[in-house]
Amino acid sequence: MKITDKIYGEFIIESVLEELINSTVVQRLKYIHQGGASYLVNKKWNVTRYEHSIGVMLLIRKLGGSVEEQIAGLLHDVSHTSFSHVVDLVFKNNNEDYHEKIYNEMIIESEIPHILAKYDYHYDELLSNMSQWKLLEQPAPELCADRIDYTLRDMYEYGHISLRNAHNFLDHLIVVDGQIYLDNINEAEWFVDTYYKGLVTG
């Protein structure tokens, strides 16, 4: 399957990734927005969890991550509910982790375990401990594919950065011992500034 992303470009991906992308739980992310209900206020704030999940998968791939970590990246947000983190406000969940609490249940009840088993992967080994995937997730202020993608994608769609800005930044990413770093201080400062602007804007 050939897949094209406006930020990362064109890739040919493995069949297991194609089947996972076409699964019901991943396709539903096309209708869940990163910014919750904010797209109802500003039409530019319309990035979906689907676009973000594909982006995280492709960024991990671009950085040399394994197919297993790409799978984890693709599926890391599948348990988000309608309007994303708005549900945390509804349930007065200050940790904003409702989607994490229901993650395993949603995976088990979906077609994901069957698809993974078809390709000799076990969902529990790949998805029960996301901390094993160093490219995918890191605590702030460390860099990770999740944080990089939503920052670049959101800020590009909001009109605050250009594709050239994003590509310049990506060109300076390096991986050392499985973790993401930058080889240029100017790009590091640019990302910090862009990231915090995204928090304020979003």
Side-chain angles (χ1 to χ4, degrees):
M1 176 184 182
K2 181 186 294 185
I3 190 164
T4 302
D5 181 82
K6 64 184 68 175
I7 294 177
Y8 307 117
E10 187 175 278
F11 297 84
I12 302 295
I13 62 171
E14 289 79 5
S15 296
V16 61
L17 294 171
E18 179 179 1
E19 285 202 42
L20 290 170
I21 288 170
N22 290 327
S23 67
T24 303
V25 289
V26 173
Q27 287 294 308
R28 66 181 281 277
L29 296 178
K30 290 180 176 179
Y31 309 101
I32 299 176
H33 291 78
Q34 286 279 92
S38 61
Y39 75 98
L40 298 173
V41 177
N42 188 325
K43 63 182 181 180
K44 286 185 177 181
W45 299 343
N46 64 352
V47 177
T48 65
R49 293 279 169 188
Y50 177 83
E51 294 169 298
H52 169 60
S53 296
I54 296 291
V56 170
M57 176 193 76
L58 293 179
L59 179 54
I60 291 170
R61 188 181 193 89
K62 183 178 178 68
L63 294 171
S66 65
V67 173
E68 290 86 348
E69 189 157 8
Q70 291 173 57
I71 290 170
L74 175 65
L75 300 177
H76 80 286
D77 267 357
V78 293
S79 58
H80 267 286
T81 56
S82 299
F83 302 118
S84 292
H85 286 292
V86 171
V87 71
D88 293 305
L89 297 174
V90 173
F91 292 142
K92 295 181 171 57
N93 181 16
N94 294 330
N95 292 327
E96 297 187 355
D97 61 354
Y98 179 77
H99 67 290
E100 295 177 12
K101 293 178 179 178
I102 64 172
Y103 184 82
N104 286 338
E105 180 182 357
M106 178 166 281
I107 290 291
I108 291 170
E109 293 181 356
S110 74
E111 65 267 53
I112 297 301
H114 173 74
I115 294 172
L116 291 175
K118 178 180 174 181
Y119 295 93
D120 295 323
Y121 297 111
H122 194 281
Y123 77 91
D124 193 49
E125 294 175 358
L126 298 185
L127 305 175
S128 64
N129 177 22
M130 287 298 193
S131 65
Q132 69 181 301
W133 307 119
K134 303 300 183 184
L135 296 178
L136 170 58
E137 295 288 1
Q138 290 289 329
E142 302 296 333
L143 291 171
C144 64
D146 185 18
R147 189 171 298 112
I148 290 170
D149 183 80
Y150 69 65
T151 300
L152 297 183
R153 191 170 302 278
D154 289 358
M155 294 303 277
Y156 170 69
E157 293 295 343
Y158 298 168
H160 294 305
I161 68 171
S162 66
L163 280 180
R164 184 173 183 176
N165 293 145
H167 293 162
N168 285 343
F169 171 79
L170 292 170
D171 286 343
H172 288 282
L173 292 179
I174 59 173
V175 177
V176 179
D177 295 330
Q179 286 194 226
I180 305 171
Y181 297 93
L182 282 159
D183 65 5
N184 183 288
I185 188 64
N186 292 328
E187 291 299 325
E189 291 174 347
W190 176 85
F191 184 78
V192 170
D193 183 59
T194 302
Y195 174 75
Y196 282 109
K197 282 181 181 176
L199 292 181
V200 172
T201 303

